[in-house]
Structure formats: structure tokens, C-alpha cells
Amino acid sequence: MDIIPASQRILDQLTHLLENLTNDEYSKTLAVLHDNSIGQHMRHTLEFFICLTTGLTSGVVNYDERERDVFLESNTLEALTIIAKLKETLDEIKKNQPLKLLQQGYDVGSDKIYEVESNLYRELIYNIEHAVHHMALMKIGLREVKPELELPKDFGVASSTIKFRQSQQANA
């Protein structure tokens, strides 16, 4: 299945971004991101992948219980180390497997936890879509912190949008 290589490509794109930012650029709070930083969006994105890969052993994934490691959002080397570990784990995946997704209810006044049947590939797809969304936000922040840095034009763009654009160009 091409979902593993797609996940790897997302992590490669994040690696490229990290390799071109200083810690100050990475962790600078930006008004355009509602006083969040590129690093906070990176941390959030990577922690979802961490939750998924960690949950492979137990068969249970809970994105709500992520660590929220502030060091990860301020240190590019730490983020690069995490990405390398995630890529190693993804390389070891040979097949899909069932998972249980634990999800807190969406009512802030309730402590109810929902258990939903899922699987590894479904959650990887979710992580890719989630990452693309945050990458688009990182790209907006990048215009303020380091406008001269050129990212691939497809950075932060969904694969369906890329395919649509390609079909439009082919038909033009």
C-alpha cells in the first residue's frame, strides 16, 4: 500500500523545513498564527504520529493523551530526531493491523471516552491529512519568519488538490 511512502514523504517535507530553520525562527510566536509558532504546529503534528506508532504495540491509539512536549516545539534537532525515529518505525510496518481509537467526547463538560474501531492504514491517512493541514499553517508562518525560504510548491497541499491541479493543467 502506498500509504507508508506517503507518510514518509510528509516526514521528509517536515525534515526539509526543520533543516532550514534556526531554533529562534522555529520557536518564534507569530501573530499570523494567533501567537503560536511553527514549532508548536510541528510538535502537534509529530505527536500525532508518535501516538499512532506508540499505540501499535498495545493496539490502542489515543491522540488526546499526547505528551505536549514543549522542548520539541523549541528545538529543531529534537524534532529531526523524532522524525528519524518515526521513519524507522514506518519502515518496519509490513501490513495493516486493527486498532482501537480512544477519543474524548467533544463536550468539554463531559469526561466520556469513546472507543472506535479503526486500523493502522486509516490512522495513517488521518495523520497525513492532519499533517498537511498544519503544514499549510506552518507555511503561512514561514512567510513572516523566513520569507526567502522556498518550500516545494506542494508543501501543505492535499494530494487530492495536487492531482486536481495536474488534471486541470493537462486539460488546458
Side-chain angles (χ1 to χ4, degrees):
M1 174 146 210
D2 63 350
I3 199 69
I4 303 293
S7 301
Q8 298 275 20
R9 281 191 298 278
I10 291 291
L11 295 173
D12 288 342
Q13 289 181 2
L14 293 173
T15 296
H16 174 74
L17 174 61
L18 286 162
E19 290 173 340
N20 286 283
L21 291 177
T22 66
N23 285 335
D24 287 340
E25 293 163 341
Y26 179 65
S27 61
K28 181 179 180 182
T29 56
L30 305 167
V32 70
L33 297 179
H34 299 282
D35 294 325
N36 289 299
S37 66
I38 291 170
Q40 287 171 307
H41 283 278
M42 181 72 72
R43 174 201 45 83
H44 178 79
T45 300
L46 295 179
E47 285 182 345
F48 272 57
F49 277 101
I50 292 167
C51 286
L52 175 56
T53 56
T54 303
L56 293 176
T57 306
S58 65
V60 176
V61 177
N62 186 339
Y63 300 114
D64 296 328
E65 295 296 323
R66 61 191 182 279
E67 189 174 336
R68 295 170 171 90
D69 180 1
V70 293
F71 184 62
L72 179 56
E73 67 189 43
S74 62
N75 188 290
T76 58
L77 185 56
E78 179 68 10
L80 287 166
T81 301
I82 295 293
I83 289 174
K85 290 177 185 174
L86 289 169
K87 289 183 71 173
E88 284 178 22
T89 302
L90 290 172
D91 280 339
E92 295 169 5
I93 293 172
K94 301 299 179 221
K95 63 179 183 171
N96 199 4
Q97 72 178 67
L99 295 170
K100 290 192 186 307
L101 174 65
L102 297 183
Q103 182 68 45
Q104 293 178 3
Y106 292 99
D107 180 356
V108 294
S110 171
D111 291 333
K112 183 168 175 131
I113 305 269
Y114 294 92
E115 186 176 295
V116 179
E117 297 296 323
S118 189
N119 63 65
L120 172 60
Y121 290 168
R122 168 63 189 96
E123 294 306 316
L124 278 172
I125 290 168
Y126 170 70
N127 271 256
I128 289 168
E129 295 298 325
H130 178 255
V132 167
H133 163 76
H134 283 278
M135 290 163 70
L137 293 168
M138 288 181 226
K139 188 162 47 173
I140 291 168
L142 192 61
R143 288 185 198 138
E144 188 172 316
V145 216
K146 197 165 194 169
E148 70 278 8
L149 178 61
E150 289 199 31
L151 293 173
K153 68 178 185 146
D154 296 336
F155 186 97
V157 180
S159 61
S160 61
T161 302
I162 295 166
K163 290 175 185 176
F164 174 76
R165 288 176 181 168
Q166 290 170 343
S167 74
Q168 295 295 67
Q169 289 174 345
N171 294 332

